[in-house]
Amino acid sequence: MKNRFCAAILSILMPGLGQLFNKQFIKAIVLLFIEHTINRLSHLNTGLMLSFNGNHQEALQILNYEYVLFYPGLYVFFIYDSVINAEAKYNKNSAFYFCLSGLVGTFGVLYGRYIPMPMITVGILMILLMLIGTYVSSKDEKVH
């Protein structure tokens, strides 16, 4: 259980770090490259900076929607991959929470102009859903 949460937290911080934690080095390098490429092309970090400073509408205008729509799904997939590969046995019911998190992120991108503090609100909701999914994937395991 501990390994799953470590992998999930590392992947939440930076997709690809959970794979490094799981000693999947080639996969980690590929995922880090994909994440940085999509992040850069979508202008996501600039949007996050503007959103954290209270300029939510300006943050939504600066995003490149051709790329930012890919980000929530990839982000969730990379975290789910690190969680299910952290230990040999996992509960497949946790996939629901990760899929729901990806959908929340995508709908957050599409309808962000109607959500108060969209990047912060949607991001926190996505992370909470993924942590619930991580817990569900670990709850049937015996703690040694």
Side-chain angles (χ1 to χ4, degrees):
M1 183 171 176
K2 191 178 198 182
N3 288 341
R4 289 179 198 265
F5 277 99
C6 289
I9 296 297
L10 287 170
S11 285
I12 287 169
L13 293 174
M14 173 67 63
L17 291 183
Q19 283 75 13
L20 279 176
F21 178 77
N22 293 336
K23 296 179 176 62
Q24 298 174 311
F25 301 113
I26 303 296
K27 186 189 286 186
I29 292 168
V30 170
L31 296 184
L32 283 166
F33 176 77
I34 291 170
E35 193 279 333
H36 279 69
T37 302
I38 298 292
N39 192 318
R40 179 76 175 142
L41 292 172
S42 67
H43 308 291
L44 186 62
N45 287 340
T46 306
L48 284 170
M49 183 188 68
L50 289 168
S51 187
F52 282 132
N53 288 321
N55 302 325
H56 306 295
Q57 292 305 317
E58 188 179 344
L60 292 173
Q61 290 173 355
I62 201 158
L63 294 176
N64 184 347
Y65 285 92
E66 291 178 5
Y67 294 100
V68 80
L69 285 169
F70 285 109
Y71 195 82
L74 287 174
Y75 183 70
V76 170
F77 173 73
F78 294 166
I79 296 168
Y80 181 65
D81 179 71
S82 71
V83 168
I84 65 172
N85 289 310
E87 295 171 9
K89 181 184 170 196
Y90 68 94
N91 184 340
K92 294 178 183 176
N93 295 331
S94 66
F96 169 77
Y97 295 98
F98 287 93
C99 290
L100 184 61
S101 178
L103 285 172
V104 165
T106 303
F107 281 116
V109 169
L110 292 172
Y111 299 108
R113 61 185 156 209
Y114 305 113
I115 302 171
M117 299 185 306
M119 296 182 92
I120 298 167
T121 307
V122 172
I124 289 173
L125 184 57
M126 285 178 66
I127 289 170
L128 286 174
L129 286 168
M130 288 185 285
L131 289 175
I132 290 169
T134 303
Y135 172 75
V136 167
S137 77
S138 302
K139 76 177 183 177
D140 292 335
E141 296 176 5
K142 294 180 181 178
V143 179
H144 301 288

